[in-house]
């Protein structure tokens, strides 16, 4: 997402259990949830915010590097 220091990572398309992710992310930072997505303002790495949608798409805010975004997806969401 050009100009917004945000990279979108596409998941496998499998449905994500947002409630389970929100619970898992609670120890990683500040979490908010809606029926459509879950957000987390991470404490480590600081300055990075995640927004995960039920279809597996992840917006990684605070970075521009695509490979780093893919690594963050693997670390915080899974394969």
């Amino acid at each position: 997402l050009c100009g917004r220091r945000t990279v979108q990572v596409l998941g496998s398309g499998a449905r994500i259990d947002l409630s389970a992710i929100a619970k898992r992310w609670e120890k990683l930072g500040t979490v908010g949830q809606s029926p459509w997505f879950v957000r987390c303002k991470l404490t480590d790495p600081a300055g990075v915010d995640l927004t995960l949608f039920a279809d597996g798409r992840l917006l990684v805010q605070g970075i521009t590097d695509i490979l780093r975004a893919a690594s963050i997806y693997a670390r915080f969401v899974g394969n």
Side-chain angles (χ1 to χ4, degrees), residues 25-39:
W25 284 1
E26 284 177 349
K27 58 186 162 227
L28 304 174
T30 305
V31 175
Q33 186 176 357
S34 84
W36 303 280
F37 59 83
V38 62
R39 282 193 178 139

Side-chain angles (χ1 to χ4, degrees), residues 1-60:
L1 301 168
C2 189
R4 297 178 187 244
R5 292 186 35 89
T6 300
V7 177
Q8 177 175 254
V9 180
L10 301 177
S12 66
R15 299 296 292 172
I16 301 286
D17 181 347
L18 295 177
S19 294
I21 293 288
K23 186 171 184 106
R24 194 171 86 202
W25 284 1
E26 284 177 349
K27 58 186 162 227
L28 304 174
T30 305
V31 175
Q33 186 176 357
S34 84
W36 303 280
F37 59 83
V38 62
R39 282 193 178 139
C40 184
K41 183 175 184 71
L42 296 173
T43 55
D44 182 28
V48 174
D49 298 343
L50 307 177
T51 303
L52 180 65
F53 297 89
D55 66 0
R57 288 177 297 126
L58 179 70
L59 298 179
V60 184

